[in-house]
Amino acid sequence: MVHAVLVDFSDVPSDCLRKWFYQAMGAISKHSLASRTQVFLVSSQKNPDVANTNTRSCLRQFTEEMAVPMRNLEVLVESSFAAILYSIKQKVDQENLSIIKAIVSAERKSTLELYIEQLFTRVYKFSFETLVIDGEGEIKLQLPAPSTEGRPLARQQADDIWRDIWMFVGQLEGVMGQIVILKSLLISDLFLHGFTTRTGGISYLPGMSSLNLFSSLKRRDPVAVVNENIQRLARSASFNTQAFYLAKVSHGNTIWTIGKTEPQNYDGIVTNQKGVTIAAPGADCIPLLFADPVQQACGAAHAGWKGTLAGVAMATVNTMVAEFGSSVKDVLVVMGPSVGPCCFTLHQEAAREFMAIDPQCVGEPSASRPHVDLRRATRTLLERGGILPENISDNSTGSRDTEVTLCTVCHPDLFFSYSRDGNNFGTQIGFISVRSHL
């Protein structure tokens, strides 16, 4: 069942618009369409004053002449094709739709695919049918469209597409106010660091609004939007996106040292290179930041319950010791916003593993799903590893800088939360770098 149909007229000569329209309508009629199927007639013209007006008028006239019986038909003609597709995305998102049929010319297929790659994710299932104009000016449908049918994009074409996308997302207004970055007093000005909140980005989907900083193939927030969010964060925090690395989480204890071969997945990153910003994601899991002011090295790690049990925190510290000559007693560790013991429960088997770390990590241990304190467990493991208690910032023991360790579930206005929002959740990060200059 097709949820939405997109018919692209962008490269159709004006004298062929009518034939193209009728062929497209014939192709659409062959599909099983739901009553709420949305049909979009679209065209991107570089002359917004003349060509766009004429094309829009023609398409609307054709629908009236044919008495198209589709209630959900819309004509979208803009100079920016990114703007057109983003408008379509917003409309299908409102109805939670995902199966989209695109009717395009063979020449435009590759163009549309690049736009889709950046403005949609694999949640959306696109299929293509192509129309071609033969030597006699007749328009025919090629069905199915061969995978090799799309014409390869020239470098200039690809550059124009990228420019259109960047310019479009760059002018979108932020949602939910300004970017807010939380900082810890424990980390000195030698380091640029912070923990993000959810405000100030352009993501509009409820669970991901607005500064979502991670694009997943399984969620609806696309690469272009997340990259723009990262750009806006970088401008606000003053770091270079060309030297920015976010941990590729595997919920284990693998740590990557910048400059060495990058593993396929890892939960922590360390570096002593100035101006290189490293980061760890979190949406209930703990984003951990590590700073060694003596050796001028830093680290970032993702600590969910599995990573905590795997010892990711001390694995990060030990990597800094091995790679940069850090002393355990010099390393500072700050825990960022994460789910608190008030809102986090685990099954009995996992809870018993936290009991073995420290019985105080588990509340009501006899319950079917006991409450678990990930921060206290992390603190306990760090102290056992030699980190000084006063060099750890969290809120499980009343230490200072508690403003950066709020419960993500309890503050929906400030943070994303998988536990609270379900599978379509956004992601905040903790980031840190050694400043290139003070």
Side-chain angles (χ1 to χ4, degrees):
M1 182 69 71
V2 175
H3 294 160
V5 179
L6 181 162
V7 184
D8 185 12
F9 293 81
S10 298
D11 62 344
V12 180
S14 58
D15 58 349
C16 293
L17 283 175
R18 185 183 296 274
K19 289 182 180 180
W20 196 274
F21 172 81
Y22 277 85
Q23 280 288 358
M25 291 300 104
I28 292 173
S29 66
K30 297 176 183 178
H31 292 283
S32 175
L33 304 180
S35 59
R36 62 175 182 163
T37 298
Q38 301 186 31
V39 178
F40 302 97
L41 308 182
V42 308
S43 181
S44 173
Q45 303 290 336
K46 293 186 177 180
N47 186 335
D49 296 326
V50 179
N52 285 1
T53 301
N54 293 341
T55 302
R56 185 182 292 106
S57 298
C58 287
L59 295 181
R60 287 176 176 167
Q61 178 185 338
F62 299 156
T63 61
E64 292 172 1
E65 290 177 0
M66 193 176 181
V68 179
M70 299 171 186
R71 293 180 302 169
N72 300 326
L73 186 145
E74 188 168 352
V75 175
L76 297 171
V77 181
E78 303 286 348
S79 57
S80 167
F81 198 64
I84 291 172
L85 288 181
Y86 201 69
S87 178
I88 292 174
K89 181 182 184 299
Q90 290 176 309
K91 293 175 189 299
V92 299
D93 284 341
Q94 288 174 1
E95 302 294 330
N96 199 32
L97 306 178
S98 59
I99 303 174
I100 304 172
K101 173 71 68 177
I103 300 176
V104 299
S105 70
E107 289 75 13
R108 284 277 294 178
K109 183 171 180 284
S110 295
T111 293
L112 189 56
E113 286 175 329
L114 181 52
Y115 274 105
I116 289 170
E117 178 184 284
Q118 293 298 308
L119 293 171
F120 294 82
T121 69
R122 290 186 186 174
V123 170
Y124 307 84
K125 308 301 181 184
F126 277 85
S127 60
F128 292 86
E129 293 178 4
T130 56
L131 294 176
V132 295
I133 304 176
D134 64 17
E136 299 179 355
E138 294 301 316
I139 297 172
K140 299 180 180 179
L141 177 67
Q142 291 185 342
L143 180 65
S147 59
T148 57
E149 187 179 12
R151 306 292 195 266
L153 291 172
R155 176 64 180 271
Q156 186 60 52
Q157 289 176 299
D159 288 346
D160 288 344
I161 293 169
W162 288 115
R163 188 177 301 107
D164 181 27
I165 293 172
W166 292 335
M167 290 181 65
F168 170 72
V169 296
Q171 55 82 40
L172 291 173
E173 292 187 7
V175 182
M176 296 177 65
Q178 303 299 311
I179 291 176
V180 175
I181 300 171
L182 305 179
K183 298 181 181 180
S184 171
L185 297 174
L186 192 63
I187 297 179
S188 73
D189 288 340
L190 176 66
F191 301 91
L192 174 73
H193 84 283
F195 298 97
T196 64
T197 64
R198 69 181 299 171
T199 62
I202 62 171
S203 303
Y204 63 81
L205 292 158
M208 303 177 193
S209 176
S210 66
L211 192 67
N212 175 36
L213 296 171
F214 181 73
S215 179
S216 165
L217 298 177
K218 298 179 181 180
R219 304 178 214 163
R220 287 179 175 255
D221 217 16
V223 172
V225 168
V226 171
N227 284 346
E228 176 61 21
N229 285 341
I230 292 173
Q231 290 288 344
R232 295 188 184 198
L233 170 64
R235 289 195 294 269
S236 178
S238 299
F239 66 77
N240 180 8
T241 57
Q242 299 303 309
F244 172 77
Y245 302 91
L246 180 65
K248 299 178 180 178
V249 173
S250 61
H251 303 287
N253 59 10
T254 300
I255 311 300
W256 176 40
T257 302
I258 296 290
K260 292 192 171 183
T261 301
E262 181 180 6
Q264 183 175 357
N265 297 101
Y266 46 92
D267 283 270
I269 314 174
V270 296
T271 188
N272 64 350
Q273 296 181 23
K274 294 182 178 180
V276 173
T277 302
I278 55 178
D284 291 341
C285 298
I286 311 172
L288 295 169
L289 297 183
F290 304 79
D292 175 5
V294 177
Q295 296 299 328
Q296 297 188 18
C298 60
H302 170 96
W305 71 267
K306 291 181 180 179
T308 300
L309 293 176
V312 67
M314 277 309 301
T316 307
V317 174
N318 291 335
T319 304
M320 293 173 67
V321 171
E323 296 290 340
F324 312 128
S326 295
S327 168
V328 173
K329 297 188 183 303
D330 293 329
V331 176
L332 312 171
V333 186
V334 178
M335 303 182 203
S338 56
V339 61
C342 49
C343 298
F344 185 62
T345 64
L346 279 175
H347 53 82
Q348 276 281 345
E349 183 178 354
R352 282 195 291 271
E353 294 190 62
F354 282 93
M355 285 279 291
I357 295 174
D358 180 354
Q360 294 187 65
C361 291
V362 181
E364 300 180 354
S366 61
S368 59
R369 289 189 64 86
H371 285 258
V372 174
D373 190 339
L374 295 179
R375 299 170 191 154
R376 182 178 289 274
T378 300
R379 170 178 278 276
T380 300
L381 293 172
L382 286 168
E383 289 182 3
R384 286 180 186 170
I387 301 295
L388 299 177
E390 61 269 26
N391 286 348
I392 303 172
S393 172
D394 66 343
N395 71 356
S396 66
T397 59
S399 63
R400 62 183 176 140
D401 306 328
T402 57
E403 70 274 7
V404 302
T405 318
L406 298 166
C407 175
T408 48
V409 179
C410 290
H411 296 84
D413 56 328
L414 285 177
F415 305 113
F416 302 112
S417 167
Y418 168 74
S419 301
R420 184 189 64 236
D421 299 330
N423 290 331
N424 281 314
F425 65 97
T427 301
Q428 50 257 339
I429 65 170
F431 63 90
I432 190 168
S433 65
V434 183
R435 291 185 188 271
S436 54
H437 56 80
L438 289 176

